[in-house]
Amino acid sequence: MPQRTDLSSIHRLPDSIKTRYIAANTIQILWDSSEKIEEALHHSGWTLLTEKRDQAFCRLMVLTTLRHWGQIRHILQNYIKKPVPQKDWLVLNILSVSLTQLIFLETPPHAVINTAVETIKSFYQLKKYQGFVNAILRQFVRDQEQQPIVPDIQHNYAPWLWQSWIKTYGLPQTQQIAEAHVQEPGLHIAVKGRPAYWADQLKAEILPMGGLFVKSHEGRIEQLPGYDQGEWWVQNAAAALPAKFLQFKPGDTVLDICAAPGGKTAQLSSAGAKVIALEISAERLKMLEENLGRLHLQAELVEADANNWRPAQPMPFILLDAPCSSTGTIRRHPEIAWRRKREELSNLIKQQRDLLQSSYQMLAKGGQLVYATCSLLREEGEGQLDWLLKKYPDLNIVPILPAEVGGLRELITDRGELRTLPYHLLDRGGLDGFYAVRLQRLA
């Protein structure tokens, strides 16, 4: 775990300064490690904030800064003439968080500037920067008063990622994707049953494809009605679709490959399937087991590499939600837009193809395979289907029908694949970027 500062040293700080420091430290941990946002917040001392409003504001600053990271850094380039040494990372992160407050959170300038300077002054080794930070923020405010400028939204993405989307979707759709990414995603949940009842209890709306959109909530998700009773789980509506495409009957066996953290396993189990949940990671399998326990659902849990493990007999139904770039989840994990490197893509594509070959080898004749990724990259979706159909001519696409996605025809490609984009259903929380295809092996 990256350790930037002894957290005991920030106990003495006023809450306003503590909040900004924790936000800046969280951002640095995210760039220095593979941690997710919630983990980085915890390791930055987020729990030292005793007021829930401070915790919520800290998290909002982090997420908003990351969603506009490229735009903010583009602005800073115009004001910083001499590079700040890497060891003084806190200075740049405090400036970044401050610009986020000024531009996107519309915090009063005097409050932003004063808090930023006081935060810098709180660390002895950084006191020399207080005039530097003060001057930059004051000059920025003056410039914005004369002519407000926000850099183009494409600055928030690595150039290779932006260009790949333009090649696949065209510029207008790519801009829509980017505009959706800077919005806070809504809370979608999947329920075991009685959707109308739980929609009423949670003040939620039933979505066209099933599941609920919780319009607003306060406090922790675990405090919402029905959570402790295991009546529902958090799952974006797009992520809930692939499991629904398997045309099994209650009592049929379904193999769920790469099953953790268990949302799709829970779907399959609650629909009456006998689920074999296959997961290579012991830690993630433990998480899956805990989630199923809370939901009072069952599955046969297998810790194994899908490329080596084989079932006792061919499987009639297989769900493969493969490891991928996760570019479809940038709204919830905005650091992915910069953390993911182009050179990683070839390794991910190979992993997916290995898993697809293994899935084919485990699939019974006449059986169905649903392949899915939470990716916006064609190479991990449509491109993999092209490769798979060429390699295995006895696999046929079973087209997904509009009725299976709540009548939303725009979610289905001409070949009958699922392709959801972040701006779909944006007024109801938005969808993660997902790809899925349903295949059947000839008998």
Side-chain angles (χ1 to χ4, degrees):
M1 180 196 79
Q3 182 62 59
R4 288 292 178 179
T5 299
D6 179 5
L7 295 182
S8 63
S9 68
I10 68 172
H11 277 284
R12 60 182 171 79
L13 298 176
D15 287 345
S16 60
I17 294 175
K18 195 185 301 180
T19 301
R20 272 67 177 183
Y21 168 76
I22 292 171
N25 195 42
T26 299
I27 290 168
Q28 195 63 33
I29 287 177
L30 287 167
W31 296 141
D32 285 353
S33 73
S34 59
E35 291 190 5
K36 294 183 178 179
I37 287 173
E38 300 304 329
E39 295 170 327
L41 280 167
H42 177 75
H43 290 151
S44 293
W46 189 60
T47 54
L48 298 178
L49 300 172
T50 56
E51 297 291 334
K52 288 184 178 179
R53 68 174 182 273
D54 289 334
Q55 289 186 346
F57 186 57
C58 181
R59 189 175 187 277
L60 177 64
M61 281 194 294
V62 170
L63 284 167
T64 307
T65 300
L66 293 174
R67 289 183 180 125
H68 297 278
W69 184 253
Q71 292 170 294
I72 289 168
R73 286 305 169 110
H74 188 75
I75 291 172
L76 282 178
Q77 288 176 4
N78 297 325
Y79 291 89
I80 298 177
K81 306 306 179 186
K82 183 179 179 181
V84 176
Q86 189 173 0
K87 65 182 179 63
D88 296 330
W89 56 268
L90 182 61
V91 176
L92 291 178
N93 286 1
I94 289 296
L95 283 169
S96 297
V97 168
S98 299
L99 290 180
T100 294
Q101 290 182 263
L102 290 168
I103 303 170
F104 303 109
L105 300 181
E106 299 181 349
T107 310
H110 69 276
V112 173
I113 296 170
N114 180 66
T115 304
V117 172
E118 290 300 313
T119 302
I120 294 297
K121 286 170 60 178
S122 298
F123 296 90
Y124 176 78
Q125 70 275 23
L126 299 178
K127 284 186 177 181
K128 62 184 178 182
Y129 287 106
Q130 58 184 303
F132 174 78
V133 168
N134 181 66
I136 285 177
L137 293 179
R138 289 189 181 280
Q139 185 60 53
F140 173 76
V141 169
R142 287 194 292 269
D143 291 346
Q144 287 295 95
E145 288 173 348
Q146 293 178 9
Q147 186 177 2
I149 297 176
V150 177
D152 193 284
I153 202 166
Q154 79 175 72
H155 287 295
N156 294 329
Y157 303 92
W160 75 268
L161 188 58
W162 183 261
Q163 291 302 320
S164 72
W165 289 343
I166 290 178
K167 184 177 180 181
T168 300
Y169 304 109
L171 181 58
Q173 275 191 294
T174 298
Q175 288 176 324
Q176 283 184 279
I177 289 170
E179 288 163 4
H181 280 164
V182 299
Q183 297 190 35
E184 184 75 16
L187 176 61
H188 290 175
I189 65 173
V191 293
K192 288 162 61 176
R194 300 189 295 167
Y197 172 80
W198 286 111
D200 180 66
Q201 292 293 305
L202 295 165
K203 299 180 175 58
E205 176 183 348
I206 299 176
L207 294 168
M209 67 281 287
L212 305 180
F213 164 48
V214 180
K215 300 173 186 177
S216 64
H217 69 93
E218 295 182 359
R220 296 177 62 84
I221 290 172
E222 294 88 340
Q223 296 173 334
L224 292 175
Y227 181 88
D228 286 340
Q229 293 74 36
E231 296 292 340
W232 53 264
W233 60 95
V234 176
Q235 187 177 37
N236 185 264
L241 288 172
K244 297 178 181 180
F245 298 149
L246 287 171
Q247 298 170 316
F248 64 89
K249 301 184 297 295
D252 287 340
T253 298
V254 178
L255 175 61
D256 184 6
I257 300 176
C258 305
K264 296 175 179 62
T265 301
Q267 282 182 272
L268 297 167
S269 179
S270 64
K274 294 179 180 178
V275 187
I276 301 173
L278 186 64
E279 175 60 49
I280 192 172
S281 165
E283 183 179 355
R284 286 174 59 80
L285 194 66
K286 180 65 176 175
M287 183 193 312
L288 189 155
E289 183 178 24
E290 291 172 353
N291 288 336
L292 289 181
R294 180 182 68 82
L295 297 169
H296 311 294
L297 295 171
Q298 294 183 336
E300 179 185 343
L301 307 186
V302 179
E303 180 189 339
D305 183 344
N307 292 318
N308 300 324
W309 180 88
R310 291 294 181 268
Q313 56 189 19
M315 291 287 101
F317 299 97
I318 297 177
L319 173 62
L320 170 59
D321 186 356
C324 69
S325 64
S326 301
T327 45
T329 67
I330 286 175
R331 290 185 312 144
R332 291 182 287 113
H333 304 288
E335 73 279 7
I336 288 172
W338 285 98
R339 180 183 282 177
R340 187 64 71 191
K341 306 300 181 185
R342 185 171 195 163
E343 52 267 27
E344 297 172 332
L345 191 57
S346 59
N347 185 50
L348 287 168
I349 290 172
K350 182 182 184 304
Q351 287 184 51
Q352 292 154 12
R353 290 185 177 180
D354 288 345
L355 288 167
L356 281 166
Q357 289 187 95
S358 294
S359 298
Y360 173 82
Q361 292 165 10
M362 290 186 270
L363 186 64
K365 291 184 177 181
Q368 283 188 351
L369 164 66
V370 167
Y371 168 69
T373 60
C374 56
S375 171
L376 289 170
L377 297 173
R378 189 184 190 283
E379 296 94 322
E380 298 183 287
E382 295 89 343
Q384 294 291 44
L385 176 63
D386 294 341
W387 171 84
L388 190 66
L389 293 177
K390 185 176 181 180
K391 186 173 182 64
Y392 299 111
D394 61 337
L395 283 177
N396 285 340
I397 298 173
V398 180
I400 297 163
L401 303 176
E404 296 178 274
V405 293
L408 302 177
R409 180 66 184 82
E410 63 270 26
L411 306 187
I412 302 175
T413 72
D414 292 341
R415 288 195 293 187
E417 306 141 282
L418 175 77
R419 169 53 79 189
T420 62
L421 299 171
Y423 59 80
H424 289 145
L425 287 187
L426 198 55
D427 60 335
R428 283 165 282 183
L431 298 181
D432 284 352
F434 245 90
Y435 172 84
V437 61
R438 178 171 54 201
L439 300 157
Q440 188 158 26
R441 187 173 181 179
L442 296 178

